[in-house]
């Protein structure tokens, strides 16, 4: 990746974390164009029933092991001693095959889903957790925010940015007890939950695909302006 980047005019990334990480390593500008959620997640939402047991907590991603599946499950098991709560895991089967034991009693498996399926899944859960070990961006968390779901993330990489300013409960990496405490609060404290989800929704609706596309296009325009005259062609960069 770094070899490819060194031969480019610019590198486009989707978080400040990635920009700060790559900038010292490549001899070209590194620009953060941000992330944007699919319009389907910003559509009308069904009326949610009042929060109450049984609670469903979602963890989703292509690599659930790296997304913190084991930490999330330990947190749910910790809570299940006093609350009716289960973990819904949506993603690749690999980590579930490795970790499938009798201890995973509070786990509901869901196969990888398309955009419409993920919207429907978010609309039936009460919280979304992403206790990742590393994370470059955090688009899955933003999708949950767009559906009005309270989110809990670890203080790593791009998740730190997405969850900042009270938009998520942020816990230390690998700390299942703090994750359980945060879950308990978002599930049972309506005022706290509503304040957090409102802040998250205000932030995420401003991250539109059109806005992100314009940043990408402007980066292309700037790269063309920086080319030597003999390499510019006609100098145009107009989207069709």
């Amino acid at each position: 990746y770094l070899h490819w980047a060194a031969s480019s005019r610019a590198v486009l990334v989707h978080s400040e974390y990635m920009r700060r990480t790559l900038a010292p390593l490549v001899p070209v500008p590194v620009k953060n164009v941000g992330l944007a959620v699919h319009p389907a997640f910003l559509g009308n939402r069904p009326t949610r029933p009042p929060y109450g047991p049984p609670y469903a907590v979602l963890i989703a991603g292509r690599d659930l092991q790296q997304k913190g599946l084991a930490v999330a499950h330990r947190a749910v098991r910790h809570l299940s001693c006093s609350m009716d709560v289960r973990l819904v895991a949506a993603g690749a089967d690999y980590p579930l095959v490795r970790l499938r034991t009798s201890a995973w009693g509070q786990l509901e498996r869901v196969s990888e889903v398309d955009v419409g399926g993920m919207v429907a899944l978010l609309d039936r859960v009460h919280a979304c957790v992403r206790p990742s070990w590393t994370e470059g961006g955090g688009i899955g968390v933003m999708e949950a925010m767009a559906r009005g779901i309270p989110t809990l993330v670890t203080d790593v990489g791009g998740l730190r940015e997405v969850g900042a300013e009270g938009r998520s409960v942020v816990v230390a990496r690998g700390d299942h007890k703090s994750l359980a405490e945060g879950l308990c609060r978002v599930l049972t404290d309506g005022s706290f939950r509503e304040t957090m989800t409102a802040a998250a929704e205000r932030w995420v609706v401003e991250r539109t695909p059109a806005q992100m596309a314009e940043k990408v296009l402007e980066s292309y325009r700037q790269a063309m302006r920086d080319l030597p005259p003999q390499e510019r062609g006609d100098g145009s960069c107009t989207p069709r």
Side-chain angles (χ1 to χ4, degrees), residues 134-167:
T134 62
E135 187 87 34
I139 186 64
V141 176
M142 293 173 63
E143 291 167 351
M145 289 176 170
R147 300 306 291 172
I149 308 299
T151 58
L152 300 92
V153 302
T154 39
D155 188 20
V156 298
L159 293 180
R160 184 180 298 120
E161 302 166 36
V162 173
E165 300 179 347
R167 294 186 289 269

Side-chain angles (χ1 to χ4, degrees), residues 133-224:
W133 296 99
T134 62
E135 187 87 34
I139 186 64
V141 176
M142 293 173 63
E143 291 167 351
M145 289 176 170
R147 300 306 291 172
I149 308 299
T151 58
L152 300 92
V153 302
T154 39
D155 188 20
V156 298
L159 293 180
R160 184 180 298 120
E161 302 166 36
V162 173
E165 300 179 347
R167 294 186 289 269
S168 295
V169 173
V170 182
V171 302
R173 181 169 53 185
D175 187 349
H176 77 279
K177 291 185 178 179
S178 293
L179 185 62
E181 292 169 1
L183 268 173
C184 183
R185 187 173 185 192
V186 301
L187 293 175
T188 61
D189 187 337
S191 177
F192 173 74
R193 181 175 63 248
E194 290 169 11
T195 298
M196 184 174 69
T197 54
E201 285 186 75
R202 286 194 299 270
W203 179 80
V204 80
V205 296
E206 297 175 354
R207 272 72 188 167
T208 64
Q211 181 189 61
M212 181 179 177
E214 181 56 38
K215 289 182 179 179
V216 172
L217 185 58
E218 179 54 34
S219 297
Y220 290 165
R221 291 188 181 116
Q222 185 61 53
M224 293 184 68

Side-chain angles (χ1 to χ4, degrees), residues 40-51 56-58 86 88 113 115-128 143-150 201:
F41 292 94
L42 299 169
N44 294 331
R45 299 200 302 263
T47 302
R48 284 187 166 276
Y51 264 70
V57 177
L58 175 67
R86 74 183 188 283
V88 180
V113 293
V115 170
M118 183 55 69
V119 171
L121 185 56
L122 285 168
D123 286 343
R124 74 174 178 88
V125 300
H126 299 89
C128 177
E143 291 167 351
M145 289 176 170
R147 300 306 291 172
I149 308 299
E201 285 186 75

